[in-house]
Amino acid sequence: MGTRRDARLCSSQVARPKLKETTMLDLKFVQKNLDAVSQGLKKRCKTEPDVAEFARLDEARIALIREAEGLKAERNQGSAEVAKLKRAGQDASELMAAMSKMGERIKELDAELAVIEASESDWLLKMPNIPHESTPEGAGEEDNPVLRHWGVKPELSFPPKEHWELGQALGGLDFERAGKITGSRFCVSFGWAAKLERALGAFMLDCAAENGYTEVLTPFMVNKQAMTGTGQLPKFEEDLFKIEGQEYYLIPTAEVPVTNLHAGEVMEEDQLPTAYVALTPCFRSEAGSYGKDTRGLIRQHQFHKVELVRFSHPEKSMADLELLTSHAEMVLQRLGLHYRVIALCGGDLGFSSCKTYDIEVWLPGQNKYREISSCSNFQDFQARRANIRFKAKGAKKSEFLHTLNGSGLAVGRALVAVLENGQQADGSVILPEALRPYMGGLDRITMK
RNA sequence: GGAGGGGUGGCCGAGCGGCUCAAGGCGGUGGUCUUGAAAACCACUGACGGGUAACCGUCCGGGGGUUCGAAUCCCUCCCCCUCCGCCA
């Protein structure tokens, strides 16, 4: 395997990244692609961005820059003149007074400029990524085409139960006690369930390692800049848990800390692709999903997820999305779980993504396919916001690389799938063979 | 939590109000020399923005202030290091 880069990574990370304001980078891009941006965004079927407003702001910005810079050039000359006069022992008070007046005007202009730039930056940061040409047209979920299936639905000779029934009956899942110590949308796992959660996580990490991913363990809280870099902020603050009294947020996915590992850095071309895997808890406020999936593990405020993240060469990122998706699928295949892969249409696409595949696992208890992984190519959208670049061999300039990520997989939902697919008529659950080594050889969960 | 010391271009490091529009070194690129390489020597070598261009502007951890003029002075925040305390 030639994809492990641990040693090189360490040496290149000695220097702390200096984060630049990303506004200017965004600006240039939109300026040059104003029409393409406006056309591309139509595919999202949401309200159209006010491109004219942006153009107006940008014109005002450039006019202000020209005026302010002209004055600054004069001021610099004047100051040099003052220095010359003083060294010659001559009086410079008149010139100093004139420069002082000019300084005030410059300050005014700079203040105006700051306001314009803030508006422009806000406009840009709230603009979603442009869907890839291969992203299908469509307004919402119901328009997502199914691309392929793997495996078959298990044939059960009895009416299947939902996972919470099974989990509670087998003494593993306890929602009531979680409600007592925290609140709704939390769960306590006991015994086999706690161990199964751990087993699934370890199994998934090992799969990823086989595929060349370097395991990382990151903080579960990040700052505002990181959240902005991957696109959660400024638009989706209400979905996040924020630490009171501090500018830290609980991560909604490992995508945030892992992608931002290289924020502000310039990577070497031969470091690409760099692939990481992280198992972290994920915290989501689930604001706006009241009444949805209120029972069971499907939609929790806290859940574990194994996340695959790739930093790719721009020319290879679309191929890398297929590869990444196949890595996520591999986990389900080894667990013997039936699933299908769908492509998200423009109207269902996430804010930062240009193309996304969802993997949906079959849940007999619910009698539906449910999302268990979401694999996306962000192209340079996140790289631009987080300022992550690479330098091609022999190239003078560095350029933005492409970032991708996908769940490999959502651990809680995988546990749901294992329970519902492995259930037997007697209420016990047969475990997939691949998991047994992680469960101390246990092959079946039974009533005590 | 307490007390100190620091954050300067890809890296190291000087500068502590105006001959510095950041010295010097390392690294990188090109050249001379050489059969080739090394060494030596010479030249070039940051980012971003504005401008057709010449050129101009901004950037010395972030933000604010003082000044005709700030890497340099003041305020504030962040991060790193050392010691003490506490703690898994």
Side-chain angles (χ1 to χ4, degrees), chain A residues 45-65:
Chain A
C45 301
K46 304 274 155 67
T47 46
E48 268 196 58
D50 191 347
V51 176
E53 166 72 1
F54 176 82
R56 189 188 67 75
L57 286 168
D58 203 50
E59 259 173 57
R61 184 181 65 93
I62 287 173
L64 280 169
I65 285 178

PDB file of all heavy atoms in Angstrom, chain A residues 45-65:
ATOM      1  N   CYS A  45     -32.806  24.047  -6.676  1.00  0.00           N
ATOM      2  CA  CYS A  45     -34.243  24.292  -6.555  1.00  0.00           C
ATOM      3  C   CYS A  45     -34.608  25.089  -5.307  1.00  0.00           C
ATOM      4  O   CYS A  45     -35.713  24.970  -4.789  1.00  0.00           O
ATOM      5  CB  CYS A  45     -35.028  22.976  -6.545  1.00  0.00           C
ATOM      6  SG  CYS A  45     -34.778  22.003  -8.016  1.00  0.00           S
ATOM      7  N   LYS A  46     -33.664  25.835  -4.804  1.00  0.00           N
ATOM      8  CA  LYS A  46     -33.975  26.693  -3.656  1.00  0.00           C
ATOM      9  C   LYS A  46     -34.061  28.120  -4.185  1.00  0.00           C
ATOM     10  O   LYS A  46     -33.931  28.354  -5.379  1.00  0.00           O
ATOM     11  CB  LYS A  46     -32.855  26.587  -2.603  1.00  0.00           C
ATOM     12  CG  LYS A  46     -32.593  25.149  -2.157  1.00  0.00           C
ATOM     13  CD  LYS A  46     -33.509  24.730  -1.016  1.00  0.00           C
ATOM     14  CE  LYS A  46     -33.710  23.220  -0.972  1.00  0.00           C
ATOM     15  NZ  LYS A  46     -32.526  22.446  -0.623  1.00  0.00           N
ATOM     16  N   THR A  47     -34.290  29.064  -3.294  1.00  0.00           N
ATOM     17  CA  THR A  47     -34.374  30.448  -3.746  1.00  0.00           C
ATOM     18  C   THR A  47     -33.048  30.859  -4.373  1.00  0.00           C
ATOM     19  O   THR A  47     -31.992  30.503  -3.895  1.00  0.00           O
ATOM     20  CB  THR A  47     -34.673  31.392  -2.568  1.00  0.00           C
ATOM     21  OG1 THR A  47     -33.809  31.043  -1.494  1.00  0.00           O
ATOM     22  CG2 THR A  47     -36.112  31.280  -2.151  1.00  0.00           C
ATOM     23  N   GLU A  48     -33.187  31.587  -5.457  1.00  0.00           N
ATOM     24  CA  GLU A  48     -31.985  31.951  -6.192  1.00  0.00           C
ATOM     25  C   GLU A  48     -31.192  33.027  -5.469  1.00  0.00           C
ATOM     26  O   GLU A  48     -31.751  33.937  -4.883  1.00  0.00           O
ATOM     27  CB  GLU A  48     -32.391  32.451  -7.577  1.00  0.00           C
ATOM     28  CG  GLU A  48     -32.393  31.331  -8.582  1.00  0.00           C
ATOM     29  CD  GLU A  48     -32.413  31.870  -9.991  1.00  0.00           C
ATOM     30  OE1 GLU A  48     -31.491  32.617 -10.337  1.00  0.00           O
ATOM     31  OE2 GLU A  48     -33.363  31.552 -10.720  1.00  0.00           O
ATOM     32  N   PRO A  49     -29.878  32.943  -5.545  1.00  0.00           N
ATOM     33  CA  PRO A  49     -29.054  33.963  -4.898  1.00  0.00           C
ATOM     34  C   PRO A  49     -29.162  35.279  -5.650  1.00  0.00           C
ATOM     35  O   PRO A  49     -29.338  35.284  -6.863  1.00  0.00           O
ATOM     36  CB  PRO A  49     -27.645  33.393  -5.016  1.00  0.00           C
ATOM     37  CG  PRO A  49     -27.687  32.499  -6.206  1.00  0.00           C
ATOM     38  CD  PRO A  49     -29.071  31.937  -6.240  1.00  0.00           C
ATOM     39  N   ASP A  50     -29.062  36.349  -4.915  1.00  0.00           N
ATOM     40  CA  ASP A  50     -29.158  37.672  -5.523  1.00  0.00           C
ATOM     41  C   ASP A  50     -27.787  38.056  -6.070  1.00  0.00           C
ATOM     42  O   ASP A  50     -26.997  38.722  -5.413  1.00  0.00           O
ATOM     43  CB  ASP A  50     -29.623  38.681  -4.469  1.00  0.00           C
ATOM     44  CG  ASP A  50     -29.989  40.006  -5.106  1.00  0.00           C
ATOM     45  OD1 ASP A  50     -29.645  40.198  -6.288  1.00  0.00           O
ATOM     46  OD2 ASP A  50     -30.598  40.836  -4.420  1.00  0.00           O
ATOM     47  N   VAL A  51     -27.532  37.602  -7.287  1.00  0.00           N
ATOM     48  CA  VAL A  51     -26.225  37.827  -7.890  1.00  0.00           C
ATOM     49  C   VAL A  51     -25.986  39.307  -8.161  1.00  0.00           C
ATOM     50  O   VAL A  51     -24.869  39.809  -8.059  1.00  0.00           O
ATOM     51  CB  VAL A  51     -26.093  37.004  -9.194  1.00  0.00           C
ATOM     52  CG1 VAL A  51     -24.782  37.294  -9.879  1.00  0.00           C
ATOM     53  CG2 VAL A  51     -26.201  35.526  -8.872  1.00  0.00           C
ATOM     54  N   ALA A  52     -27.057  40.030  -8.489  1.00  0.00           N
ATOM     55  CA  ALA A  52     -26.932  41.456  -8.764  1.00  0.00           C
ATOM     56  C   ALA A  52     -26.458  42.200  -7.519  1.00  0.00           C
ATOM     57  O   ALA A  52     -25.643  43.122  -7.602  1.00  0.00           O
ATOM     58  CB  ALA A  52     -28.267  42.018  -9.230  1.00  0.00           C
ATOM     59  N   GLU A  53     -26.964  41.771  -6.370  1.00  0.00           N
ATOM     60  CA  GLU A  53     -26.558  42.379  -5.107  1.00  0.00           C
ATOM     61  C   GLU A  53     -25.062  42.201  -4.892  1.00  0.00           C
ATOM     62  O   GLU A  53     -24.351  43.116  -4.477  1.00  0.00           O
ATOM     63  CB  GLU A  53     -27.344  41.735  -3.947  1.00  0.00           C
ATOM     64  CG  GLU A  53     -26.812  42.006  -2.545  1.00  0.00           C
ATOM     65  CD  GLU A  53     -27.060  43.427  -2.081  1.00  0.00           C
ATOM     66  OE1 GLU A  53     -27.660  44.214  -2.849  1.00  0.00           O
ATOM     67  OE2 GLU A  53     -26.630  43.758  -0.949  1.00  0.00           O
ATOM     68  N   PHE A  54     -24.584  41.009  -5.219  1.00  0.00           N
ATOM     69  CA  PHE A  54     -23.165  40.746  -5.074  1.00  0.00           C
ATOM     70  C   PHE A  54     -22.353  41.644  -5.998  1.00  0.00           C
ATOM     71  O   PHE A  54     -21.350  42.241  -5.601  1.00  0.00           O
ATOM     72  CB  PHE A  54     -22.843  39.277  -5.382  1.00  0.00           C
ATOM     73  CG  PHE A  54     -21.380  38.973  -5.339  1.00  0.00           C
ATOM     74  CD1 PHE A  54     -20.747  38.724  -4.128  1.00  0.00           C
ATOM     75  CD2 PHE A  54     -20.616  38.987  -6.498  1.00  0.00           C
ATOM     76  CE1 PHE A  54     -19.391  38.480  -4.077  1.00  0.00           C
ATOM     77  CE2 PHE A  54     -19.253  38.739  -6.453  1.00  0.00           C
ATOM     78  CZ  PHE A  54     -18.643  38.491  -5.240  1.00  0.00           C
ATOM     79  N   ALA A  55     -22.800  41.749  -7.236  1.00  0.00           N
ATOM     80  CA  ALA A  55     -22.086  42.565  -8.219  1.00  0.00           C
ATOM     81  C   ALA A  55     -22.029  44.028  -7.762  1.00  0.00           C
ATOM     82  O   ALA A  55     -21.006  44.698  -7.896  1.00  0.00           O
ATOM     83  CB  ALA A  55     -22.753  42.457  -9.585  1.00  0.00           C
ATOM     84  N   ARG A  56     -23.139  44.488  -7.184  1.00  0.00           N
ATOM     85  CA  ARG A  56     -23.208  45.868  -6.696  1.00  0.00           C
ATOM     86  C   ARG A  56     -22.186  46.093  -5.571  1.00  0.00           C
ATOM     87  O   ARG A  56     -21.433  47.064  -5.569  1.00  0.00           O
ATOM     88  CB  ARG A  56     -24.619  46.171  -6.180  1.00  0.00           C
ATOM     89  CG  ARG A  56     -24.878  47.619  -5.839  1.00  0.00           C
ATOM     90  CD  ARG A  56     -26.225  47.798  -5.142  1.00  0.00           C
ATOM     91  NE  ARG A  56     -26.280  47.192  -3.816  1.00  0.00           N
ATOM     92  CZ  ARG A  56     -25.695  47.718  -2.733  1.00  0.00           C
ATOM     93  NH1 ARG A  56     -25.033  48.845  -2.821  1.00  0.00           N
ATOM     94  NH2 ARG A  56     -25.789  47.116  -1.576  1.00  0.00           N
ATOM     95  N   LEU A  57     -22.164  45.156  -4.621  1.00  0.00           N
ATOM     96  CA  LEU A  57     -21.232  45.247  -3.500  1.00  0.00           C
ATOM     97  C   LEU A  57     -19.789  45.242  -3.995  1.00  0.00           C
ATOM     98  O   LEU A  57     -18.949  45.999  -3.516  1.00  0.00           O
ATOM     99  CB  LEU A  57     -21.444  44.077  -2.538  1.00  0.00           C
ATOM    100  CG  LEU A  57     -22.681  44.125  -1.656  1.00  0.00           C
ATOM    101  CD1 LEU A  57     -22.899  42.771  -0.982  1.00  0.00           C
ATOM    102  CD2 LEU A  57     -22.553  45.221  -0.615  1.00  0.00           C
ATOM    103  N   ASP A  58     -19.537  44.384  -4.966  1.00  0.00           N
ATOM    104  CA  ASP A  58     -18.172  44.243  -5.433  1.00  0.00           C
ATOM    105  C   ASP A  58     -17.684  45.495  -6.143  1.00  0.00           C
ATOM    106  O   ASP A  58     -16.543  45.897  -5.998  1.00  0.00           O
ATOM    107  CB  ASP A  58     -18.062  43.020  -6.351  1.00  0.00           C
ATOM    108  CG  ASP A  58     -16.648  42.508  -6.414  1.00  0.00           C
ATOM    109  OD1 ASP A  58     -16.054  42.325  -5.322  1.00  0.00           O
ATOM    110  OD2 ASP A  58     -16.110  42.324  -7.510  1.00  0.00           O
ATOM    111  N   GLU A  59     -18.582  46.129  -6.906  1.00  0.00           N
ATOM    112  CA  GLU A  59     -18.208  47.386  -7.562  1.00  0.00           C
ATOM    113  C   GLU A  59     -17.871  48.446  -6.537  1.00  0.00           C
ATOM    114  O   GLU A  59     -16.878  49.154  -6.649  1.00  0.00           O
ATOM    115  CB  GLU A  59     -19.372  47.886  -8.420  1.00  0.00           C
ATOM    116  CG  GLU A  59     -19.204  47.593  -9.889  1.00  0.00           C
ATOM    117  CD  GLU A  59     -20.460  47.953 -10.656  1.00  0.00           C
ATOM    118  OE1 GLU A  59     -20.885  49.133 -10.584  1.00  0.00           O
ATOM    119  OE2 GLU A  59     -21.035  47.046 -11.298  1.00  0.00           O
ATOM    120  N   ALA A  60     -18.706  48.532  -5.520  1.00  0.00           N
ATOM    121  CA  ALA A  60     -18.488  49.522  -4.462  1.00  0.00           C
ATOM    122  C   ALA A  60     -17.153  49.251  -3.769  1.00  0.00           C
ATOM    123  O   ALA A  60     -16.402  50.173  -3.434  1.00  0.00           O
ATOM    124  CB  ALA A  60     -19.628  49.463  -3.453  1.00  0.00           C
ATOM    125  N   ARG A  61     -16.866  47.980  -3.550  1.00  0.00           N
ATOM    126  CA  ARG A  61     -15.631  47.610  -2.873  1.00  0.00           C
ATOM    127  C   ARG A  61     -14.406  48.082  -3.658  1.00  0.00           C
ATOM    128  O   ARG A  61     -13.496  48.685  -3.111  1.00  0.00           O
ATOM    129  CB  ARG A  61     -15.568  46.087  -2.712  1.00  0.00           C
ATOM    130  CG  ARG A  61     -14.376  45.584  -1.934  1.00  0.00           C
ATOM    131  CD  ARG A  61     -14.385  44.075  -1.837  1.00  0.00           C
ATOM    132  NE  ARG A  61     -14.216  43.457  -3.137  1.00  0.00           N
ATOM    133  CZ  ARG A  61     -13.044  43.095  -3.640  1.00  0.00           C
ATOM    134  NH1 ARG A  61     -11.952  43.290  -2.951  1.00  0.00           N
ATOM    135  NH2 ARG A  61     -12.979  42.547  -4.836  1.00  0.00           N
ATOM    136  N   ILE A  62     -14.440  47.828  -4.967  1.00  0.00           N
ATOM    137  CA  ILE A  62     -13.281  48.182  -5.776  1.00  0.00           C
ATOM    138  C   ILE A  62     -13.105  49.697  -5.861  1.00  0.00           C
ATOM    139  O   ILE A  62     -11.987  50.204  -5.787  1.00  0.00           O
ATOM    140  CB  ILE A  62     -13.384  47.524  -7.163  1.00  0.00           C
ATOM    141  CG1 ILE A  62     -13.109  46.027  -6.984  1.00  0.00           C
ATOM    142  CG2 ILE A  62     -12.414  48.136  -8.144  1.00  0.00           C
ATOM    143  CD1 ILE A  62     -13.322  45.191  -8.201  1.00  0.00           C
ATOM    144  N   ALA A  63     -14.199  50.413  -5.952  1.00  0.00           N
ATOM    145  CA  ALA A  63     -14.107  51.875  -5.995  1.00  0.00           C
ATOM    146  C   ALA A  63     -13.452  52.399  -4.717  1.00  0.00           C
ATOM    147  O   ALA A  63     -12.594  53.292  -4.757  1.00  0.00           O
ATOM    148  CB  ALA A  63     -15.500  52.472  -6.173  1.00  0.00           C
ATOM    149  N   LEU A  64     -13.869  51.841  -3.578  1.00  0.00           N
ATOM    150  CA  LEU A  64     -13.309  52.275  -2.298  1.00  0.00           C
ATOM    151  C   LEU A  64     -11.826  51.940  -2.193  1.00  0.00           C
ATOM    152  O   LEU A  64     -11.027  52.737  -1.698  1.00  0.00           O
ATOM    153  CB  LEU A  64     -14.066  51.614  -1.141  1.00  0.00           C
ATOM    154  CG  LEU A  64     -15.400  52.246  -0.764  1.00  0.00           C
ATOM    155  CD1 LEU A  64     -16.158  51.359   0.201  1.00  0.00           C
ATOM    156  CD2 LEU A  64     -15.185  53.623  -0.150  1.00  0.00           C
ATOM    157  N   ILE A  65     -11.476  50.752  -2.665  1.00  0.00           N
ATOM    158  CA  ILE A  65     -10.067  50.347  -2.607  1.00  0.00           C
ATOM    159  C   ILE A  65      -9.210  51.312  -3.420  1.00  0.00           C
ATOM    160  O   ILE A  65      -8.165  51.768  -2.971  1.00  0.00           O
ATOM    161  CB  ILE A  65      -9.895  48.905  -3.143  1.00  0.00           C
ATOM    162  CG1 ILE A  65     -10.397  47.903  -2.103  1.00  0.00           C
ATOM    163  CG2 ILE A  65      -8.438  48.621  -3.475  1.00  0.00           C
ATOM    164  CD1 ILE A  65     -10.331  46.459  -2.545  1.00  0.00           C
TER     165      ILE A  65
END
